[in-house]
Amino acid sequence: MTAPQATKTRKRPAPKVRDDLPAPQTPEGLLFHYTPAEAARWTPFSYRTLIDKIARREIDYVFNGRDNYLTGAQIVALTERLTVRPFTKAPARAAA
């Protein structure tokens, strides 16, 4: 009797990221379509987390019938929505 063979996990290739992408906050980048792997560079999420959030429809995205994309404007809106602003103390009101 022989020992059972260990199962092999399939290794997925790394996602392709294009070179020389415009930054999302630039005028040409606002309408540029980024793949989740490319958008992960400017968001607080990893590539896999972005894909999961798109699948659960937690964030806005563009679907072209086959692939999912994020525009630069959507990336900027996502990061602004998640940005924590510093607390500013309101001026004290005068007692009447």
Side-chain angles (χ1 to χ4, degrees):
M1 184 168 187
T2 60
Q5 294 292 323
T7 58
K8 293 183 181 179
T9 58
R10 187 179 74 163
K11 198 159 207 176
R12 295 182 181 171
K16 297 192 183 201
V17 177
R18 296 173 281 183
D19 294 331
D20 299 329
L21 295 173
Q25 59 271 27
T26 61
E28 61 271 2
L30 287 175
L31 297 177
F32 191 84
H33 287 72
Y34 300 89
T35 64
E38 296 164 346
R41 179 186 308 174
W42 288 286
T43 64
F45 302 115
S46 68
Y47 158 70
R48 186 66 216 178
T49 302
L50 279 177
I51 289 177
D52 291 342
K53 286 185 173 292
I54 288 171
R56 291 190 305 261
R57 291 175 169 61
E58 293 178 3
I59 59 174
D60 294 334
Y61 66 97
V62 177
F63 180 67
N64 71 351
R66 190 181 98 180
D67 297 318
N68 298 317
Y69 294 99
L70 291 126
T71 63
Q74 290 168 332
I75 294 170
V76 170
L78 177 66
T79 55
E80 286 179 0
R81 184 179 64 179
L82 298 172
T83 301
V84 177
R85 303 284 179 210
F87 177 74
T88 57
K89 193 171 184 179
R93 298 190 320 182

